[in-house]
Amino acid sequence: MFARWGWILMLFMMASPAFGVERAAAKTEGKDGTRMEEIVVTATRTEKELDTAPGSVNVVTKKDIEKRGMQTPDSALNTVPGVFNRRQSLADTLSSISLHGIPEQKRTLIMKDGIGINNAYDGGVVYTGLPLEDVERIEVVQGPFSSLYGGYAMGGVVNIVTRMPEKREIVAKAGYGSSWHRGEAPDDLQRYYVSYGDRFMDKWSILASYGYRGTNGYSKDINVQSSKPTAGIAGWSYTGTTAGDTRYAIGDKGDNAFWDDNLNLKTRFDFSKATKLDLSFMRTRYKYSYDEPHTNLRNAAGNPVYAYGTVRENSFLSGFGGKEINRYNVGYETEFGPVKTKFTAGLNDEEKSWYTTPNSSAPYATINDGPGKVSTSPNQNYNADLQFTFPVFGRQVVTVGGSVKTNTVKVEEFSINNWKNEDSRTALTYNAGGKDRTYAVFLQDEIMILQNLTAYAGFREDFWETYDGYANQSDSPGYPKAYDSRSASSFSPKLSLVYKPLEKTTLRASAGQAFRAPSVYELYRTWTSTTGVTYNGNPDLQPETVRSWDAAVSQGLWKGAKVGATYFENYLYDLIYRKTTSATQSDYINAGRAKSKGVVLEAEQRFDKWLKLFANYTYTDARINENTASPASEGKRMTFMPDHLLNVGAEFEAGPVSASVTGRYVGKRYGNDTNSDQVNGVYTSYDPFFTADAKVSCKIMKFATVSVSMENILGESHFEYYQAPGRSVFAEVEWRYF
């Protein structure tokens, strides 16, 4: 409590008149007088030039996206220093972004136009429904930002800013791609996009777009068994587990097909230069499935074999799944004298979220049909945020406001007659759910101490409550269960300094605290996987917190050259973590303490407009320090966090031709908290790997552009739990009318 009031007192002391320095207009201009600096808003909630923004800030522009062969917004961040994007393939619906050594998507806040889109269930984000053609830029701010944005912002914030046309435009795109060697990467990938935008009376703008993408997929899910095929059966091969035990590869579970589509509507009305209203709607659908499985086994007559000994046909099966998501956003900005006011609100409604699981016990599912279960988890969250920004004493800018967020989740499991048909439901076998809500107030003071020294001090107080939690499992003792309401509060301060001792030199330092409340999934969801492992929720979980600091320097060298370095440390408390209790049980717990630290190095050289070379390297050491509930995890690396990340690339542009080539190295990761999964190159391992991608585009006429991109040029073969995609090529035609 003393620290909390001490922080608030410090803010008031800093707000007192001193130095009498007037704020200077900061502009960086090119030879033609045009502004060269990019403007970002995520780091401070106000417009700020990138060079003077606090913290580690990167921007991926629309032009960057167009130059590279990117398919989703998360993949657009693959070359950003300090960012790890965990995406296994194009059809991966569980991809996640980690920032500054803080693991997992649930600890990174993802926003669309300033409104959070992490779902209410487990904090995940579906990136497939965010078409890159509608994106103006992506702002990445690393470090603890709960002081401005609340929970999920432990590692930082990613803000996907969508575009708004300034004049009439029609855009149409069509593309086709496939693997270099069929079956090694997503085959028959088709992609279509069309949009119409316009601006009327210099006040009203609209943008409407539709996109579709679909692929027949490839065989990524290998069937590995501990039981050796019996005598007379051929075609199997030796493999192993990540712990080094002998196993037998007997086939795969079929090609992982996938499709998604999205409808986006956005409009803006400018009442005046200072007052505008934004409304948007986005509908996303996707579905993944598997075609007929492939067996490598043959009997003496050469006929395919799908079962032997204790291994049954259902071992070749994997389920289907999908989502339907509606997002409604509203934003309003205006000015009352010197006070700038901004209001945003959004509803993220996952009205359908489901997956099926074939029965792995009697009565068994078969390749053609048979019983199974379907799990559904529709969820909603509401976000509303109001902020006021105004100058104080001629040298300060104060931002103050409040927010409210609610999450609602309902989980149900049904038996189904046919595991391929999610609608063939019979009995309800399990249901669980709950709600939570968070109210918050925040304040930030930007103080220009000297002409070249600016401080940013702020805090946020969050009040969190979970309630209406329940679980019910049919025919099981102890059910149904109703859980008591619980509440907690969190104080999140932050202090940043930005100092420019020389024109080409910028020094930054930040320190702060952030928190994340447990999700409804972590609190109440219990489920059993097809491999027989039961994953338990924990209604007694407490919020987790992190205390972080970082220091950075960026230095301009000769013309077009710059280098930078960042050091960061994160101290995590009450970390919510999966504890491997036994071979058949995994529990969520507050793991105690963890620490991650690392360094980010980056360099860039531009040769006028035609060539850009860049490289960045991130080293992260993230470990569990104390965990009395699972002592074997102490001293071990945190799951899914690579120790080394390296990105290198080149971009070329001359006349109608542009080209890019990028390389990405990702170091070893671990899938369990004891780091016992040491062996690489086997199914379920997380291998270190290096992949390279390239794209060439040519504007063949005023309104038409053709491009060819290739992913995994070197044909790198590795596992990211599943078999990662091999080399693939994709060609696209774009037509634009302005």
Side-chain angles (χ1 to χ4, degrees):
M1 181 64 70
F2 175 79
R4 180 175 312 184
W5 287 105
W7 185 264
I8 297 172
L9 178 61
M10 186 189 74
L11 282 178
F12 279 106
M13 292 175 64
M14 296 179 71
S16 61
F19 300 110
V21 179
E22 295 295 327
R23 177 170 299 276
K27 289 186 179 181
T28 303
E29 297 183 345
K31 294 180 179 180
D32 58 355
T34 58
R35 181 182 291 274
M36 303 298 291
E37 285 289 344
E38 294 181 74
I39 302 297
V40 297
V41 297
T42 310
T44 63
R45 282 182 171 258
T46 59
E47 290 189 352
K48 182 63 57 180
E49 289 183 346
L50 181 61
D51 191 46
T52 60
S56 177
V57 184
N58 296 90
V59 178
V60 180
T61 66
K62 185 173 181 61
K63 194 169 186 178
D64 294 330
I65 292 170
E66 291 174 345
K67 282 184 178 180
R68 303 172 192 169
M70 304 169 182
Q71 296 282 355
T72 57
D74 58 313
S75 64
L77 306 184
N78 280 346
T79 58
V80 175
V83 176
F84 173 53
N85 174 34
R86 181 188 167 198
R87 172 173 286 276
Q88 298 164 339
S89 68
L90 182 62
D92 183 8
T93 60
L94 300 176
S95 57
S96 64
I97 294 173
S98 301
L99 306 178
H100 255 197
I102 304 292
E104 299 190 57
Q105 181 64 78
K106 61 190 179 184
R107 300 184 183 99
T108 300
L109 176 63
I110 308 297
M111 300 192 299
K112 173 181 172 287
D113 295 326
I115 301 173
I117 59 174
N118 297 70
N119 71 30
Y121 182 41
D122 58 6
V125 176
V126 177
Y127 293 100
T128 55
L130 297 166
L132 286 171
E133 291 83 0
D134 290 345
V135 174
E136 181 65 33
R137 67 185 187 276
I138 304 175
E139 300 178 3
V140 183
V141 185
Q142 303 187 58
F145 270 85
S146 283
S147 63
L148 288 177
Y149 295 105
Y152 297 134
M154 296 181 72
V157 181
V158 175
N159 188 16
I160 302 168
V161 182
T162 60
R163 66 189 183 92
M164 200 77 250
E166 294 297 325
K167 58 183 179 180
R168 179 170 298 174
E169 63 169 52
I170 300 174
V171 179
K173 300 177 74 171
Y176 175 84
S178 205
S179 59
W180 193 260
H181 298 290
R182 196 163 183 86
E184 294 183 353
D187 286 319
D188 303 317
L189 173 61
Q190 300 178 56
R191 190 161 168 264
Y192 308 100
Y193 172 85
V194 61
S195 70
Y196 171 78
D198 213 336
R199 186 170 175 84
F200 308 98
M201 302 175 294
D202 201 33
K203 287 185 176 294
W204 180 34
S205 302
I206 62 169
L207 177 66
S209 69
Y210 174 79
Y212 170 85
R213 178 177 51 187
T215 173
N216 290 327
Y218 72 105
S219 301
K220 67 174 189 177
D221 201 347
I222 300 173
N223 190 350
V224 175
Q225 296 294 324
S226 59
S227 174
K228 185 177 181 179
T230 54
I233 297 178
W236 54 271
S237 60
Y238 283 106
T239 184
T241 68
T242 56
D245 300 322
T246 300
R247 292 292 185 269
Y248 309 93
I250 64 173
D252 62 66
K253 300 183 180 182
D255 292 346
N256 182 200
F258 171 87
W259 68 264
D260 70 4
D261 71 351
N262 53 80
L263 172 67
N264 295 279
L265 303 172
K266 184 178 180 181
T267 184
R268 171 180 296 166
F269 193 84
D270 297 306
F271 296 95
S272 67
K273 185 177 180 180
T275 304
K276 63 182 180 181
L277 174 68
D278 286 277
L279 301 171
S280 67
F281 168 75
M282 172 183 290
R283 179 170 176 80
T284 296
R285 302 182 300 170
Y286 78 74
K287 184 176 181 179
Y288 67 87
S289 60
Y290 289 81
D291 70 357
E292 297 301 306
H294 310 122
T295 178
N296 298 333
L297 305 180
R298 296 294 185 272
N299 60 21
N303 297 319
V305 175
Y306 289 92
Y308 62 88
T310 59
V311 175
R312 300 180 182 275
E313 187 176 299
N314 67 281
S315 68
F316 285 89
L317 307 181
S318 190
F320 295 18
K323 287 182 184 285
E324 293 184 12
I325 307 171
N326 297 310
R327 293 192 175 106
Y328 308 84
N329 289 355
V330 58
Y332 180 74
E333 296 182 21
T334 191
E335 293 182 9
F336 299 99
V339 180
K340 294 182 179 180
T341 302
K342 181 185 292 186
F343 171 77
T344 57
L347 166 62
N348 298 312
D349 180 15
E350 290 194 6
E351 63 177 2
K352 291 185 179 180
S353 180
W354 59 273
Y355 64 90
T356 66
T357 306
N359 266 19
S360 56
S361 58
Y364 297 98
T366 67
I367 291 176
N368 295 321
D369 53 29
K373 71 176 181 181
V374 59
S375 300
T376 68
S377 55
N379 61 89
Q380 290 184 336
N381 64 41
Y382 298 87
N383 297 271
D385 188 285
L386 178 64
Q387 73 175 57
F388 304 94
T389 302
F390 49 90
V392 178
F393 304 123
R395 67 181 186 86
Q396 294 173 246
V397 177
V398 173
T399 299
V400 62
S403 68
V404 60
K405 179 179 180 179
T406 65
N407 293 319
T408 303
V409 180
K410 179 181 180 181
V411 179
E412 293 181 325
E413 290 182 357
F414 297 87
S415 297
I416 50 178
N417 290 325
N418 183 353
W419 65 272
K420 291 186 174 182
N421 181 4
E422 68 273 15
D423 294 323
S424 61
R425 302 179 184 183
T426 55
L428 174 67
T429 59
Y430 173 87
N431 63 322
K435 301 176 182 178
D436 69 29
R437 58 186 167 219
T438 304
Y439 300 98
V441 292
F442 57 85
L443 183 148
Q444 177 184 263
D445 193 2
E446 175 186 343
I447 310 105
M448 193 176 196
I449 300 173
L450 300 172
Q451 192 75 17
N452 58 355
L453 176 62
T454 304
Y456 299 84
F459 70 89
R460 178 177 174 123
E461 185 80 29
D462 284 87
F463 305 90
W464 169 78
E465 180 184 18
T466 179
Y467 57 100
D468 290 350
Y470 66 93
N472 187 22
Q473 189 162 331
S474 301
D475 301 323
S476 297
Y479 290 92
K481 296 180 179 180
Y483 301 105
D484 294 335
S485 299
R486 292 174 43 240
S487 62
S489 64
S490 179
F491 179 68
S492 302
K494 184 161 186 177
L495 176 65
S496 299
L497 295 172
V498 180
Y499 178 48
K500 289 182 66 67
L502 301 170
E503 181 183 357
K504 293 185 178 181
T505 304
T506 304
L507 304 175
R508 295 179 173 88
S510 298
Q513 179 170 297
F515 90 106
R516 185 186 70 88
S519 67
V520 173
Y521 176 88
E522 293 165 327
L523 290 166
Y524 306 124
R525 180 71 162 106
T526 296
W527 61 284
T528 301
S529 71
T530 56
T531 58
V533 179
T534 298
Y535 297 88
N536 292 313
N538 181 354
D540 296 321
L541 288 172
Q542 299 297 319
E544 55 186 12
T545 59
V546 62
R547 295 173 184 170
S548 305
W549 73 272
D550 59 55
V553 56
S554 59
Q555 177 66 56
L557 303 175
W558 51 86
K559 181 181 179 180
K562 63 180 180 180
V563 295
T566 303
Y567 178 80
F568 61 86
E569 289 189 359
N570 305 299
Y571 298 86
L572 297 104
Y573 302 89
D574 294 321
L575 183 68
I576 298 174
Y577 208 71
R578 276 285 187 195
K579 170 192 171 186
T580 304
T581 305
S582 68
T584 59
Q585 183 175 337
S586 180
D587 302 320
Y588 271 122
I589 58 172
N590 287 109
R593 296 187 299 111
K595 178 183 177 181
S596 66
K597 59 183 179 180
V599 62
V600 180
L601 305 175
E602 49 189 311
E604 179 184 299
Q605 173 69 67
R606 293 179 182 266
F607 298 91
D608 294 323
K609 184 181 177 181
W610 64 277
L611 180 62
K612 171 186 172 183
L613 306 175
F614 68 89
N616 59 71
Y617 166 75
T618 304
Y619 169 75
T620 304
D621 184 16
R623 297 181 183 272
I624 295 290
N625 290 347
E626 180 182 316
N627 186 357
T628 55
S630 180
S633 68
E634 294 180 0
K636 300 298 191 296
R637 281 173 47 193
M638 295 172 66
T639 54
F640 307 119
M641 180 55 61
D643 50 358
H644 301 283
L645 290 171
L646 174 66
N647 300 302
V648 294
E651 296 177 356
F652 171 83
E653 185 175 357
V657 178
S658 67
S660 72
V661 59
T662 58
R664 179 178 182 235
Y665 173 79
V666 175
K668 175 65 178 175
R669 293 144 292 154
Y670 293 98
N672 64 53
D673 55 7
T674 60
N675 296 176
S676 59
D677 49 337
Q678 295 280 338
V679 178
N680 296 324
V682 297
Y683 181 60
T684 74
S685 67
Y686 293 91
D687 301 343
F689 66 88
F690 178 83
T691 59
D693 306 322
K695 181 180 179 180
V696 178
S697 300
C698 182
K699 194 171 185 177
I700 58 176
M701 59 182 67
K702 184 177 180 180
F703 300 121
T705 302
V706 297
S707 64
V708 178
S709 59
M710 180 177 287
E711 295 188 0
N712 197 358
I713 298 171
L714 304 176
E716 164 89 10
S717 178
H718 65 281
F719 286 89
E720 295 184 65
Y721 189 94
Y722 300 106
Q723 177 73 55
R727 185 186 297 117
S728 63
V729 63
F730 185 80
E732 191 169 52
V733 178
E734 179 185 34
W735 182 82
R736 288 177 177 263
Y737 169 75
F738 292 94

